Amino acid sequence: MGENREIQKGVWEGRIPVAFRLSEEDTDGERPEPVYLMVPRISYFPLHTEKINKHFLKYASEKESEEIWLEHDNQPLKWHYPVGLLFDLYGSETSLPWTITVHFKDFPEEELLHCVSKDAVESHFMSSIKEADSLKHRGQVINSMQKRDHKQLWTGLLHDKFDQFWSVNKKLMESSGDETFKYIPFRLYMVDRHYMTNLFRPLTEEGHHQSLKHLLLSAVPQFFNEEEEFQKHVRIHGTEPLLDTPILWLSENFSFPDNFLHLVISDK
């Protein structure tokens, strides 16, 4: 981790300025002032909405439900997607703060999962980490950990503690010698489509490193021209990594805390 610690810390410290506004349909009277927060890219919205809930609930016209849901520009936001992924999908660096509408009613049952407590986020987060380790190490690393290690991963994310999280997560990111990752945990996202993924090895059979371009050629060959030039943009954590970046290095340093590379493909 040594030489890459500053990169990992930089990814961890990424923030998005967000303006939360109560939906016009959710109040009978005057709309309250927005709530402004700097939200970590690597986190999940339900871990930061307690203040928003308390601020807006007294203005809401229907008090029977305290479960809020969020949308941007008529797009309901999936709470189990990391904040930075949602922003790279639907937000814009040229339009900040990111304006998000808060709803208390008319929950979009067919588009969103319910999230009644932070326990649901923890369950989803740990399930994702276990899935990632099954791809990287056949699940051997996560299964060999103590229960307190699992809890430390969660509380590190919950309380925004980089050192606490990475003191355990570094074990999940070990890939030296013969113990390199078996497959790269990744998902590719585009607006209005389900995410895409496949089984992709970081090394060829000859032991050569594969790059982000190789991964994209494997997963979305339709987005390359005859000269094998990528015709789209790919972003993660608000940046466009070079296509010749080794995918193993990207996985070790740019994965979200759930240990997945969440890559957004777009035209712009």
Side-chain angles (χ1 to χ4, degrees), residues 3-249:
E3 69 275 14
N4 294 324
R5 186 178 188 279
E6 291 307 310
I7 296 171
Q8 294 156 353
K9 202 167 195 307
V11 167
W12 184 277
E13 292 177 346
R15 299 289 188 270
I16 298 169
V18 182
F20 295 91
R21 300 178 183 274
L22 183 62
S23 165
E24 291 183 5
E25 292 79 28
D26 278 87
T27 178
D28 294 329
E30 183 180 351
R31 290 179 75 188
E33 288 295 310
V35 174
Y36 295 93
L37 294 177
M38 292 292 287
V39 185
R41 272 184 160 271
I42 49 90
S43 192
Y44 300 86
F45 273 126
L47 305 186
H48 304 274
T49 50
E50 192 171 321
K51 177 181 178 181
I52 300 159
N53 195 320
K54 288 180 178 178
H55 177 72
F56 289 136
L57 186 60
K58 56 182 175 287
Y59 297 97
S61 55
E62 293 189 13
K63 300 289 198 300
E64 68 271 11
S65 173
E66 293 190 13
E67 181 186 3
I68 65 175
W69 61 278
L70 308 175
E71 58 102 346
H72 168 73
D73 199 20
N74 297 315
Q75 172 63 54
L77 300 177
K78 293 179 169 64
W79 65 260
H80 57 289
Y81 281 14
V83 173
L85 166 59
L86 290 169
F87 182 79
D88 288 345
L89 269 171
Y90 306 118
S92 171
E93 296 286 352
T94 61
S95 182
L96 294 172
W98 190 23
T99 301
I100 289 179
T101 304
V102 178
H103 296 268
F104 282 90
K105 60 182 183 180
D106 300 327
F107 190 92
E109 301 281 352
E110 295 185 0
E111 295 185 70
L112 299 182
L113 301 172
H114 283 280
C115 181
V116 295
S117 71
K118 292 178 181 177
D119 291 343
V121 186
E122 179 180 5
S123 177
H124 167 76
F125 175 68
M126 292 309 304
S127 176
S128 294
I129 284 186
K130 291 174 182 176
E131 181 181 352
D133 195 58
S134 71
L135 290 166
K136 291 189 291 186
H137 305 113
R138 301 181 181 87
Q140 294 172 357
V141 177
I142 192 71
N143 290 333
S144 68
M145 287 181 177
Q146 304 280 337
K147 191 171 183 179
R148 66 172 181 270
D149 294 325
H150 294 184
K151 203 68 180 176
Q152 187 168 326
L153 287 168
W154 166 244
T155 56
L157 174 69
L158 178 63
H159 300 301
D160 195 23
K161 301 292 186 183
F162 172 81
D163 290 328
Q164 178 181 332
F165 176 83
W166 267 97
S167 66
V168 176
N169 193 58
K170 65 184 179 183
K171 301 170 188 173
L172 296 166
M173 287 298 176
E174 290 174 351
S175 61
S176 58
D178 295 333
E179 299 302 314
T180 190
F181 297 170
K182 183 174 177 62
Y183 299 109
I184 297 294
F186 79 95
R187 289 171 184 164
L188 300 176
Y189 301 80
M190 296 181 69
V191 173
D192 297 329
R193 296 194 194 183
H194 194 269
Y195 69 77
M196 297 164 279
T197 190
N198 63 17
L199 294 176
F200 185 81
R201 295 181 182 273
L203 304 178
T204 65
E205 291 184 2
E206 294 77 27
H208 301 305
H209 280 271
Q210 301 222 73
S211 67
L212 174 59
K213 180 178 180 179
H214 294 130
L215 182 147
L216 294 169
L217 275 167
S218 167
V220 285
Q222 68 272 27
F223 296 144
F224 287 82
N225 62 18
E226 291 182 358
E227 286 73 39
E228 290 194 352
E229 296 170 328
F230 194 53
Q231 301 299 291
K232 302 279 186 180
H233 294 272
V234 59
R235 286 200 303 279
I236 184 168
H237 301 301
T239 67
E240 282 196 52
L242 297 174
L243 295 187
D244 61 1
T245 303
I247 197 64
L248 180 60
W249 184 92

